[in-house]
């Protein structure tokens, strides 16, 4: 062991003695201590810590005689600690230093283990395990032990800082839906479920575009992970919504926009001018899109987005769960459960709303009332339990061949679960030509 390494361990031993001496001098600090035996590297210090805690739990007076009588320690071991000269007022500092030392040592061991595991073969699951182990180690750090009154005051201060005319969450894109939800809430996992072609992708894409467009304070930032549809087609929908031109024209604007002018009896070039204006506006919107399908990479990308843009109000949307890849998992029930748990954890950890699209089974198609419920979600058990909010867009016209061809159709946004609010149904109008949604008057 090098001289510097030896000095490092000697300094940690000093912190061990300081913590133990403070606890012996002021027994109330035993309740404040969040250390465990693993944080003591010297065997006699570990034994002393264990004995102090056991005596305290049994409400036995803690003094040198009792310690010796309930352990294998000798009087000199105890007196050496009690005469060190530590300050009880520095207890939190000593404890924090011990946490830092052990945390770094554990990370060094994890890094060495990771290097050994990947020496012959580089695998993504090895890096995922390494990151998760490091995060778990970091979560054991000392946190302030606030009383309920202190936590209540912190919450009230946050309430007081909220603007009367603002929202607590991220803009959904529609005023009436914002009134219903107060925006997408940070830390929430929001599920949007629907049958294929019902409009869940169109609704979430329009929500993100409108939220970005309405951003007046420069705080919004949205990223859409399109695991099913090519990102070019998603961008086409955004352009169509921004320009209010038919989505179908975006397949080949050079060909179809002039035809649209003729069909609508417009001046030649009118549609293309709207298209160009929309492109200009879209280029300035705080939007990102990705075709990433790997859960591990999606989570890493979210962390990077938040880290690189700490002052933004983020919202992430993923379309959809069936196309998300999880290493080593192929069975849908197991995979879906892992995805929702991991995304909920990520939402809380990053303090952002995450919106996940899911497919509904065919259960509602066999009922007279076609409105979906949570029971219609594929592999609904874990999703229903973990999700903070479950939204299911529903159009009666979807099941009516005559109404299905109409441009404007009523859309019910069924909020079947809302952990922090009131469930209910919100009515909108769907423009099937531009794939946009509007508040119903």
């Amino acid at each position: 062991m090098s001289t510097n390494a030896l000095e490092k361990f000697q300094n940690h031993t000093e912190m061990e003695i300081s913590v133990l001496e403070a606890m012996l001098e002021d027994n109330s600090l035993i309740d404040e201590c969040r250390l465990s035996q693993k944080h003591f590297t010297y065997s006699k210090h570990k034994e002393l810590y264990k004995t102090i805690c056991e005596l305290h739990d049994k409400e036995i007076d803690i003094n040198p005689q009792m310690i010796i009588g309930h352990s294998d320690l000798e009087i000199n071991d105890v007196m050496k600690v009690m005469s060190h000269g530590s300050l009880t007022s520095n207890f939190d500092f000593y404890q924090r230093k011990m946490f830092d030392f052990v945390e770094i040592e554990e990370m060094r061991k994890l890094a060495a283990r990771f290097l050994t595991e990947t020496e012959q073969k580089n695998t993504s699951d090895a890096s995922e395990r390494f990151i998760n182990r490091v995060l778990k180690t970091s979560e054991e750090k000392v946190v302030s032990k606030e009383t309920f009154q202190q936590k209540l005051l912190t919450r009230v201060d946050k309430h007081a800082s909220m603007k009367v005319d603002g929202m607590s969450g991220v803009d959904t894109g529609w005023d009436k839906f914002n009134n219903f939800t107060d925006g997408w809430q940070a830390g929430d996992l929001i599920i949007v479920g629907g049958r294929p072609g019902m409009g869940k992708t169109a609704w979430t894409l329009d929500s993100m575009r409108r939220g970005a467009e309405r951003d007046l304070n420069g705080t919004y930032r949205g990223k859409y992970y399109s695991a099913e549809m090519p990102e070019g087609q998603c961008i086409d929908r955004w352009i169509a919504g921004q320009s209010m031109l038919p989505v179908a024209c975006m397949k080949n604007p050079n060909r179809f926009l002039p035809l649209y002018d003729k069909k609508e009896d417009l001046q030649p070039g009118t549609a293309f001018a709207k298209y160009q204006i929309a492109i200009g506006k879209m280029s300035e919107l705080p939007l990102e899109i990705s075709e990433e399908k790997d859960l591990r990479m999606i989570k890493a990308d979210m962390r990077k987005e938040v880290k690189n843009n700490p002052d933004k109000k983020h919202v992430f949307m993923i379309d959809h769960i069936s196309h998300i890849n999880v290493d080593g998992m192929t069975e849908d029930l197991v995979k879906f459960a892992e995805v929702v748990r991991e995304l909920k954890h990520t939402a809380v950890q990053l303090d952002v709303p995450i919106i996940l699209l899911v497919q509904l089974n065919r259960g509602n198609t066999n009922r007279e009332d076609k409105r979906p419920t949570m029971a219609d979600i594929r592999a609904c058990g874990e999703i229903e339990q973990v999700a903070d909010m479950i939204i299911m867009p529903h159009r009666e016209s979807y099941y009516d061949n005559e109404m299905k061809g109409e441009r404007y159709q009523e859309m019910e946004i069924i909020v079947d679960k809302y952990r922090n609010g009131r469930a209910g149904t919100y009515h909108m109008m769907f423009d099937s030509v531009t794939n946009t949604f509007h508040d119903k008057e």
Side-chain angles (χ1 to χ4, degrees), residues 221-235:
R221 188 171 180 84
K223 185 153 190 175
Y224 203 95
Y225 297 91
S226 183
E228 180 183 31
M229 185 187 302
E231 59 186 25
Q233 292 182 18
C234 294
I235 294 172

Side-chain angles (χ1 to χ4, degrees), residues 160-215:
S161 66
M162 293 178 180
K163 297 180 181 178
V164 175
D165 58 348
M167 284 184 299
S168 60
V170 182
D171 192 353
T172 66
W174 300 283
D175 290 334
K176 291 184 178 179
F177 198 61
N178 283 337
N179 292 337
F180 189 80
T181 62
D182 206 34
W184 303 125
Q185 296 296 308
D188 277 4
L189 175 63
I190 300 137
I191 300 295
V192 178
R195 292 288 301 146
M198 181 59 73
K200 61 185 181 296
T201 300
W203 188 72
T204 51
L205 280 169
D206 203 37
S207 169
M208 184 170 284
R209 180 192 63 82
R210 290 174 65 91
E213 182 185 20
R214 287 151 51 105
D215 178 37

Side-chain angles (χ1 to χ4, degrees), residues 245-262:
L245 292 169
V247 173
C249 289
M250 300 305 136
K251 295 176 183 177
N252 186 342
N254 293 330
R255 176 185 175 189
F256 292 116
L257 290 181
L259 295 176
Y260 178 76
D261 284 338
K262 291 180 180 179

Side-chain angles (χ1 to χ4, degrees), residues 197-363:
M198 181 59 73
K200 61 185 181 296
T201 300
W203 188 72
T204 51
L205 280 169
D206 203 37
S207 169
M208 184 170 284
R209 180 192 63 82
R210 290 174 65 91
E213 182 185 20
R214 287 151 51 105
D215 178 37
L216 301 178
N217 301 319
T219 58
Y220 186 99
R221 188 171 180 84
K223 185 153 190 175
Y224 203 95
Y225 297 91
S226 183
E228 180 183 31
M229 185 187 302
E231 59 186 25
Q233 292 182 18
C234 294
I235 294 172
D236 285 350
R237 292 195 183 195
W238 275 341
I239 297 172
Q242 189 70 34
S243 63
M244 293 305 291
L245 292 169
V247 173
C249 289
M250 300 305 136
K251 295 176 183 177
N252 186 342
N254 293 330
R255 176 185 175 189
F256 292 116
L257 290 181
L259 295 176
Y260 178 76
D261 284 338
K262 291 180 180 179
K263 178 184 176 182
E264 299 296 322
D265 197 24
L266 299 172
Q267 290 289 329
T270 300
F272 198 75
K274 293 177 68 176
Y275 168 84
Q276 290 180 310
I277 292 171
I279 295 297
K281 290 182 178 179
M282 286 284 298
S283 66
E284 299 176 352
L285 296 184
L287 296 173
E288 293 291 341
I289 190 165
S290 169
E291 292 182 1
E292 183 59 63
K293 297 178 175 64
D294 184 82
L295 178 63
R296 182 180 64 86
M297 296 305 298
I298 288 174
K299 292 192 302 176
D301 189 63
M302 289 178 178
R303 288 194 292 266
K304 182 179 178 182
E305 283 284 333
V306 173
K307 182 180 179 181
N308 291 343
N309 302 278
D311 299 325
K312 300 295 184 180
K313 277 191 168 185
H314 295 265
V315 59
F316 298 105
M317 300 184 183
I318 305 171
D319 182 18
H320 58 78
I321 190 171
S322 298
H323 293 275
I324 300 300
N325 299 326
V326 181
D327 282 344
M329 295 184 184
T330 55
E331 185 182 346
D332 282 350
L333 282 173
V334 178
K335 186 179 77 169
F336 291 174
E338 177 72 7
V339 170
V340 295
R341 285 195 297 264
E342 286 296 309
L343 289 179
K344 172 58 184 175
H345 177 73
T346 303
V348 172
Q349 186 182 52
L350 300 180
D351 198 31
V352 298
I354 296 178
I355 300 169
L356 175 65
L357 278 64
V358 304
Q359 294 275 26
L360 299 185
N361 58 40
R362 294 184 176 86

Side-chain angles (χ1 to χ4, degrees), residues 359-370:
Q359 294 275 26
L360 299 185
N361 58 40
R362 294 184 176 86
N364 68 313
T365 62
N366 300 321
R367 299 193 298 262
E368 183 176 349
D369 185 353
K370 299 293 193 290

